[in-house]
Amino acid sequence: DQQVKQNSPSLSVQEGRISILNCDYTNSMFDYFLWYKKYPAEGPTFLISISSIKDKNEDGRFTVFLNKSAKHLSLHIVPSQPGDSAVYFCAASGLSISNFGNEKLTFGTGTRLTIIP
Amino acid sequence: DTEVTQTPKHLVMGMTNKKSLKCEQHMGHRAMYWYKQKAKKPPELMFVYSYEKLSINESVPSRFSPECPNSSLLNLHLHALQPEDSALYLCASSQDRGTYNEQFFGPGTRLTVL
């Protein structure tokens, strides 16, 4: 049962334009969401996060939007740069899900973003 | 120092071998994690240590044995692995487990079991 879904396995965007990566989740107990970027042969790098009390969080070129009623979040990258080409994972956790806090991250299957120069 | 380091980068072992993966962080984080990632799949949580005590074991087979000697170090001892255990093994750390905080990942150890 895939509780976090990234339905687009790949996305190509022209350099300088906006990249929009989408993520859907099914578990209403999730209350913290993160985006990670992963280059080949490297570990995931944390990009940005959002808790369920917010609907938007911005950090430089990266903005994450959360729509709780639709159980949907998106990552906007603007402007897109060649170095943004990587696999992007959405992840979710919930304080209420386990007795142990937010350690258990459930990852989506990833979206490969390619920025075209 | 904002890095999680892992050694070795690559490891090839036979099914009868015993080997260990090592992970280190010097960010003062009190929670450390082991993940397994197969090709084209998301990372899957294996173990969580919090304040040097094992707090989550995601029903991992006993041929994988974690150890947390101190707050900066995390080991994963491997014994009698199967070829299907070949994967990228990722270590991560976070500030603690009680609040919203991001996990920082190391570069991983690429393990091949022959």
Side-chain angles (χ1 to χ4, degrees):
Chain A
D1 175 30
Q2 191 69 32
Q3 297 187 67
V4 178
K5 299 176 190 177
Q6 293 176 255
N7 292 319
S8 299
S10 63
L11 176 67
S12 293
V13 174
Q14 205 78 31
E15 182 180 357
R17 306 294 288 267
I18 183 170
S19 296
I20 300 176
L21 296 105
N22 293 304
C23 178
D24 297 293
Y25 61 95
T26 57
N27 191 335
S28 57
M29 303 291 274
F30 288 143
D31 57 10
Y32 186 55
F33 304 90
L34 309 92
W35 284 95
Y36 284 86
K37 175 167 92 170
K38 188 176 185 304
Y39 293 120
E42 291 185 16
T45 302
F46 169 74
L47 279 176
I48 193 168
S49 62
I50 188 167
S51 73
S52 59
I53 60 171
K54 293 185 167 184
D55 53 20
K56 177 182 172 182
N57 190 25
E58 198 169 346
D59 184 1
R61 296 187 298 116
F62 302 94
T63 303
V64 57
F65 295 91
L66 176 62
N67 182 334
K68 285 188 291 295
S69 59
K71 295 194 180 68
H72 177 82
L73 64 155
S74 60
L75 174 68
H76 292 210
I77 306 173
V78 57
S80 300
Q81 299 173 354
D84 297 329
S85 295
V87 177
Y88 288 77
F89 288 99
C90 164
S93 68
L95 262 178
S96 316
I97 291 176
S98 74
N99 292 327
F100 303 105
N102 268 61
E103 310 99 325
K104 185 165 179 180
L105 290 182
T106 300
F107 283 86
T109 48
T111 296
R112 180 175 300 279
L113 176 65
T114 302
I115 305 302
I116 304 162
Chain B
D1 188 354
T2 57
E3 221 182 334
V4 177
T5 59
Q6 289 187 244
T7 55
K9 274 189 173 331
H10 301 275
L11 179 62
V12 179
M13 59 187 290
M15 289 191 283
T16 57
N17 291 157
K18 279 187 184 182
K19 297 283 184 185
S20 296
L21 309 184
K22 295 186 186 305
C23 173
E24 193 165 0
Q25 57 88 14
H26 294 288
M27 294 179 277
H29 288 172
R30 304 313 302 266
M32 295 185 77
Y33 312 76
W34 280 115
Y35 286 85
K36 173 180 175 179
Q37 186 176 22
K38 302 279 269 184
K40 299 192 190 305
K41 298 281 189 184
E44 292 178 13
L45 183 65
M46 299 174 72
F47 302 103
V48 180
Y49 271 82
S50 180
Y51 292 84
E52 295 143 62
K53 287 188 171 23
L54 183 65
S55 63
I56 296 180
N57 176 341
E58 288 287 281
S59 304
V60 179
S62 59
R63 58 186 184 269
F64 295 91
S65 173
E67 179 199 17
C68 190
N70 60 55
S71 59
S72 301
L73 289 173
L74 186 66
N75 297 323
L76 186 63
H77 303 296
L78 314 172
H79 175 52
L81 294 194
Q82 304 295 311
E84 59 264 28
D85 296 322
S86 298
L88 181 68
Y89 287 84
L90 293 162
C91 174
S93 71
S94 66
Q95 202 163 356
D96 59 36
R97 62 174 172 82
T99 57
Y100 299 123
N101 52 83
E102 54 271 17
Q103 294 179 22
F104 293 88
F105 284 81
T109 294
R110 173 74 58 192
L111 174 68
T112 303
V113 182
L114 301 176

